[in-house]
Amino acid sequence: MNQLEVMQIYLKVAELASFTEAALQLGLPKASVSQAVQRLEALLGTRLLQRTTRRVSMTADGQVFAERCRDLLADVEELRTLFQGDGQASGLTGRLRVDMPQTTAREFILPRLPEFLSAHPGLSVELSSTDRRVDVVREGFDCVLRAGPLSDSSLVARPLGQHEMVNCVSTSYASAHGVPMSLQDLPRHRLVHYASTLGTRAQGFEHVDTSSGNTLFVPMPGSLTVNNADAYEAACLAGLGIIQFPAVSAQPHLQAGRMVEVLPQHRAAPLALNLVYAHRRHLPRRVQAFMDWVAAVMAEHLQPMR
């Protein structure tokens, strides 16, 4: 019994939470199934399954190992079929684990995702949607759509384009407080502060110096700090202050009269979007297909990198 067969046995036991049921479905003696899992645990030096008289459940290590097993077995199946048929992306199987900002997922990716899954019915997607910086390698992500500057040089980045930024306030804020006409007016207004990690200090109102091209910040008062894009947008609509937002997301609010743009001559630097993934000698075709699809979807909403 080779290692791949042992992994398949382990996954079947974990899926069914039963050695007996797994043995029946696999057509193997129960003793062989039990021994295979025991040898695997001994090889790894950790307990994968918690056994009681009534049920079998995965330990924390068992859950992590099961996820990696599924990915590995999908990669093996992909390699097996690599040169079969027409060599196109049809017939892709396995799981994709991806992460992207909440706004991007809600406004652009999820509305179009049915067409991708319809084209590749053998794939399943685990989509994490958070504004925190996930650990691509440690958390097992196939790829991540990342907004803003990149800091981890150990990852591979595929640039997609950039969002132009606008400064906005709600119409209720403008009615109550007026709007700033220059940078000198900003200290008399309020900013909704954004910090991906609460407790860190927000830098203030961002703008690009027209003479030097440098990014500068104007410190501003504000009674609210948020850590995700949905709350940021909602805070502006509630009249809590100025936000600096991608123009493509702000446009529906501007057209509907819920927001007004302020200081258009002092916008923040464009927000770059990159697909980021761990360096691998062989990038699975399912990951490549998904990244190509995301790039095509986002191309409609992004400006070229400058």
Side-chain angles (χ1 to χ4, degrees):
M1 190 178 294
N2 63 41
Q3 291 298 322
L4 293 178
E5 291 171 331
V6 171
M7 290 180 188
Q8 291 170 331
I9 290 172
Y10 167 69
L11 286 178
K12 183 60 69 173
V13 174
E15 173 191 338
L16 299 174
S18 169
F19 284 90
T20 302
E21 291 297 325
L24 286 172
Q25 289 201 15
L26 294 170
L28 294 171
K30 181 180 176 182
S32 298
V33 171
S34 180
Q35 290 169 6
V37 173
Q38 289 173 8
R39 287 198 298 269
L40 184 59
E41 290 178 323
L43 177 66
L44 297 172
T46 188
R47 181 174 289 277
L48 300 174
L49 296 172
Q50 188 68 43
R51 304 156 175 85
T52 68
T53 55
R54 294 189 176 183
R55 64 190 301 268
V56 175
S57 60
M58 285 186 286
T59 64
D61 287 345
Q63 291 176 342
V64 173
F65 185 71
E67 291 173 359
R68 297 301 175 90
C69 279
R70 292 187 186 100
D71 290 341
L72 177 60
L73 291 171
D75 287 345
V76 170
E77 177 63 18
E78 181 178 301
L79 287 172
R80 187 184 67 80
T81 60
L82 186 61
F83 303 107
Q84 296 179 5
D86 58 10
Q88 299 300 311
S90 58
L92 297 179
T93 60
R95 181 199 65 171
L96 284 161
R97 173 175 285 186
V98 300
D99 177 83
M100 62 188 64
Q102 290 179 345
T103 301
T104 304
R106 184 186 68 244
E107 295 185 2
F108 309 122
I109 299 301
L110 287 172
R112 299 279 299 275
L113 190 58
E115 68 188 50
F116 177 78
L117 293 176
S118 176
H120 306 290
L123 292 178
S124 64
V125 177
E126 292 183 0
L127 193 153
S128 164
S129 183
T130 174
D131 288 347
R132 72 175 178 89
R133 288 291 176 101
V134 299
D135 188 316
V136 177
V137 176
R138 185 177 63 81
E139 297 182 58
F141 285 101
D142 293 301
C143 65
V144 167
L145 187 60
R146 194 159 277 180
L150 301 175
S151 57
D152 192 339
S153 59
S154 68
L155 302 175
V156 181
R158 175 176 172 176
L160 298 186
Q162 61 186 21
H163 283 305
E164 296 296 328
M165 304 294 285
V166 292
N167 312 308
C168 296
V169 295
S170 68
T171 50
S172 61
Y173 179 95
S175 298
H177 306 287
V179 297
M181 304 304 294
S182 68
L183 295 176
Q184 289 70 35
D185 293 338
L186 287 175
R188 297 192 293 272
H189 287 269
R190 305 187 78 78
L191 183 72
V192 178
H193 294 289
Y194 182 95
S196 56
T197 302
L198 293 180
T200 58
R201 183 175 180 81
Q203 293 179 284
F205 182 92
E206 178 184 337
H207 67 101
V208 177
D209 183 74
T210 54
S211 58
S212 67
N214 295 330
T215 297
L216 304 175
F217 294 89
V218 178
M220 283 188 65
S223 57
L224 177 66
T225 300
V226 300
N227 66 351
N228 69 73
D230 285 348
Y232 194 54
E233 180 180 355
C236 177
L237 291 170
L240 290 167
I242 301 169
I243 65 170
Q244 299 185 277
F245 212 46
V248 67
S249 298
Q251 200 58 42
H253 297 301
L254 295 171
Q255 292 176 343
R258 294 184 292 268
M259 292 183 185
V260 295
E261 183 180 1
V262 300
L263 298 178
Q265 71 278 28
H266 296 295
R267 290 180 173 180
L271 188 67
L273 255 69
N274 292 273
L275 277 166
V276 178
Y277 55 97
H279 187 275
R280 297 178 66 176
R281 181 177 300 176
H282 166 68
L283 187 66
R285 286 192 302 144
R286 65 180 182 277
V287 180
Q288 186 65 60
F290 182 76
M291 292 197 301
D292 290 345
W293 176 77
V294 169
V297 170
M298 294 308 299
E300 305 173 18
H301 310 288
L302 297 172
Q303 302 296 320
M305 294 281 199
R306 291 204 295 262

